[in-house]
Amino acid sequence: MSRGLRGKIIFDYILEVLSSGFTIDKTAYEAYVKEAKQALNHNRKKLVNQLKSIGRQISETDKTIETKTLALAKAQGALIDKLNQEIKQLTDDLDNLKQIKTKTQEDIITIDHNLESKLMTYENFLNFFDNLANTIKSSDNQYLVDKIIRMIFLNFTIKDKKVLSHRLNPNFEKYVKIPSVQDGRRDRT
């Protein structure tokens, strides 16, 4: 079976599974909100630690530049060129560290904003799942389609141009119950 044909069979199967509907309850939504907030808090802590580390690196680089600049005043001959090169490299490193620090600070602000604002509403959560099949079918963004499919499905078992079974991604499976579509696919080729 060619890759294109197998891909089409799997894609059609995915659309059928997603179109068959999901059962999502408020408990699953609340678990999603709790996990999302925990993940945001975890990421925030990592960024804060990264910010502290960058701050230390900036401070150390500043001190090294100062030391080398003072040594430059007393240097002679080839040592002047060497120190100038080292100071230039340290200055470039310092600029890079400052850019990373700014980006990290922006990321922390974004996380803080997300923590303060309400995450996806229950209604939007339901709509997201209700519209997955249409999103995948109509999207021109292959990256988005791939991410959604990988978010939902772990793998497929295929035999004789039919999908025999699938496994859901465990991270997705805990939020939804998908009705079986196996019985409806028996006569299809």
Side-chain angles (χ1 to χ4, degrees):
M1 179 175 357
S2 73
R3 291 183 96 183
L5 179 59
R6 185 168 65 191
K8 172 130 178 61
I9 291 168
I10 292 172
F11 191 76
D12 290 345
Y13 179 82
I14 288 169
L15 291 175
E16 187 173 344
V17 169
L18 295 178
S19 297
S20 67
F22 298 104
T23 303
I24 304 169
D25 61 7
K26 189 87 168 176
T27 306
Y29 167 74
E30 290 167 355
Y32 154 77
V33 169
K34 181 180 178 185
E35 286 182 23
K37 287 188 177 195
Q38 287 173 341
L40 286 171
N41 279 317
H42 176 74
N43 287 341
R44 187 184 192 288
K45 286 178 185 176
K46 283 174 48 178
L47 288 171
V48 166
N49 288 336
Q50 182 181 348
L51 190 60
K52 289 177 185 176
S53 173
I54 292 168
R56 285 190 296 272
Q57 291 175 36
I58 287 172
S59 178
E60 290 169 9
T61 304
D62 273 335
K63 287 178 186 175
T64 305
I65 289 172
E66 186 178 327
T67 302
K68 298 230 182 236
T69 302
L70 291 173
L72 185 60
K74 299 175 185 174
Q76 295 178 8
L79 183 57
I80 292 173
D81 291 337
K82 181 181 178 216
L83 286 172
N84 277 329
Q85 287 177 342
E86 289 174 5
I87 291 170
K88 166 103 174 74
Q89 181 61 49
L90 286 167
T91 303
D92 291 345
D93 293 347
L94 183 62
D95 290 342
N96 186 40
L97 285 169
K98 287 179 179 178
Q99 288 175 1
I100 294 170
K101 179 180 178 181
T102 300
K103 172 77 170 89
T104 304
Q105 289 169 326
E106 291 169 356
D107 290 346
I108 290 171
I109 290 169
T110 300
I111 288 175
D112 288 344
H113 174 71
N114 288 338
L115 283 169
E116 291 169 7
S117 66
K118 182 169 172 89
L119 295 174
M120 186 184 300
T121 65
Y122 182 57
E123 183 178 299
N124 287 343
F125 190 72
L126 293 175
N127 286 337
F128 171 75
F129 289 110
D130 287 343
N131 294 318
L132 279 176
N134 289 335
T135 300
I136 288 174
K137 189 186 249 183
S138 63
S139 179
D140 292 335
N141 185 339
Q142 291 180 347
Y143 178 76
L144 173 68
V145 170
D146 182 64
K147 289 297 260 185
I148 290 173
I149 291 171
R150 289 176 188 270
M151 175 185 79
I152 299 169
F153 296 98
L154 194 58
N155 60 21
F156 301 90
T157 304
I158 301 173
K159 185 176 181 186
D160 298 328
K161 298 182 182 180
K162 291 183 182 178
V163 177
L164 300 178
S165 65
H166 66 270
R167 282 191 46 211
L168 295 177
N169 183 326
N171 293 327
F172 179 78
E173 189 172 34
K174 61 187 169 187
Y175 295 120
V176 299
K177 300 290 184 245
I178 299 179
S180 174
V181 293
Q182 303 300 12
D183 295 335
R185 292 192 56 84
R186 253 185 277 184
D187 300 325
R188 207 167 162 193
T189 56

